[in-house]
């Protein structure tokens, strides 16, 4: 029932290659896709591998913000996904956004990007907190939300 309601409320097709959409429309489409994807989250599907935290049934694109913060949304619970949406996917904060489809994304960014990549450049003087959605910064101000093992996660050694 909840899935049906969310599908009705939030369904917008994501931007297709070759279509020219306004930044605001692209963001709304991404948000809708993320809301629908969040329904698929099951904590039992999360494992820790050589690539970091992974979902055994992956569905999320990798979000790269300002070339230094990487997020996967299929490895975190809905409240953290909402944090990401509210802090990062704000049309007033974003200078540009590019959606890179699956095949090209895998070639450019490897296995973590098998569902595509969304590259976001924030406006220069905008104030935002990249430490959302479980992101942990390194000493050099780079970070991901998938490189650390969390308590209770299954670790798979390759």
């Amino acid at each position: 029932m909840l899935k049906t309601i969310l599908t009705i409320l939030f369904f917008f097709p994501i931007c297709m290659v070759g279509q020219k959409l306004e930044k605001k429309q692209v963001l709304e489409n991404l948000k809708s896709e993320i809301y629908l994807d969040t329904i698929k989250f099951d904590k039992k599907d999360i494992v820790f591998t050589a690539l970091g935290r992974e979902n055994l049934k992956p569905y999320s694109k990798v979000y790269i913000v300002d070339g230094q913060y990487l997020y996967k949304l299929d490895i975190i619970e809905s409240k953290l996904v909402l944090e990401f949406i509210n802090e990062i996917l704000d049309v007033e904060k974003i200078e540009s956004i590019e959606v890179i489809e699956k095949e090209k994304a895998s070639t450019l960014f490897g296995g973590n990007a098998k569902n595509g990549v969304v590259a976001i450049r924030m406006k220069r003087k905008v104030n935002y907190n990249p430490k959302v959605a479980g992101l942990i910064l390194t000493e050099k101000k780079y970070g991901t939300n998938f490189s650390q093992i969390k308590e209770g996660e299954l670790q798979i050694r390759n």
Side-chain angles (χ1 to χ4, degrees):
M1 178 69 168
L2 178 62
K3 188 174 183 176
T4 304
I5 292 169
L6 287 174
T7 300
I8 292 167
L9 290 175
F10 297 115
F11 180 75
F12 293 98
I14 191 69
C15 178
M16 297 297 178
V17 176
Q19 281 184 321
K20 197 84 165 159
L21 296 177
E22 297 276 333
K23 176 174 53 175
K24 185 175 181 177
Q25 184 62 50
V26 171
L27 283 172
E28 290 305 315
N29 291 351
L30 282 171
K31 288 178 187 180
S32 297
E33 180 181 302
I34 292 167
Y35 289 133
L36 289 172
D37 282 347
T38 301
I39 296 168
K40 302 173 190 173
F41 180 79
D42 187 344
K43 199 170 187 170
K44 292 179 278 189
D45 293 333
I46 307 302
V47 296
F48 194 80
T49 69
L51 294 174
R53 293 179 86 207
E54 287 192 41
N55 191 316
L56 294 172
K57 300 174 186 169
Y59 51 82
S60 175
K61 292 173 171 50
V62 172
Y63 292 81
I64 302 173
V65 179
D66 286 340
Q68 61 191 39
Y69 310 117
L70 282 71
Y71 303 88
K72 287 194 315 188
L73 303 181
D74 61 1
I75 61 169
I76 57 175
E77 294 180 19
S78 59
K79 67 179 182 177
L80 295 175
V81 172
L82 192 56
E83 240 182 45
F84 175 84
I85 290 170
N86 291 336
E87 185 65 29
I88 305 297
L89 298 183
D90 180 345
V91 71
E92 299 301 320
K93 296 179 181 180
I94 294 176
E95 182 178 311
S96 66
I97 186 165
E98 180 181 358
V99 178
I100 304 168
E101 296 304 322
K102 296 177 183 182
E103 296 78 24
K104 187 175 181 183
S106 288
T107 302
L108 294 172
F109 300 100
N112 275 325
K114 60 184 153 223
N115 288 312
V117 167
V118 177
I120 299 170
R121 176 161 308 283
M122 304 301 271
K123 291 179 180 174
R124 270 196 200 280
K125 295 185 180 183
V126 74
N127 202 8
Y128 73 98
N129 178 10
K131 290 170 61 173
V132 295
L135 182 123
I136 297 176
L137 293 174
T138 67
E139 310 82 50
K140 297 183 181 187
K141 304 287 185 202
Y142 289 86
T144 73
N145 74 337
F146 51 88
S147 60
Q148 296 81 22
I149 192 166
K150 306 289 186 209
E151 187 177 327
E153 286 179 346
L154 178 63
Q155 186 166 6
I156 299 175
R157 300 197 188 268
N158 296 349

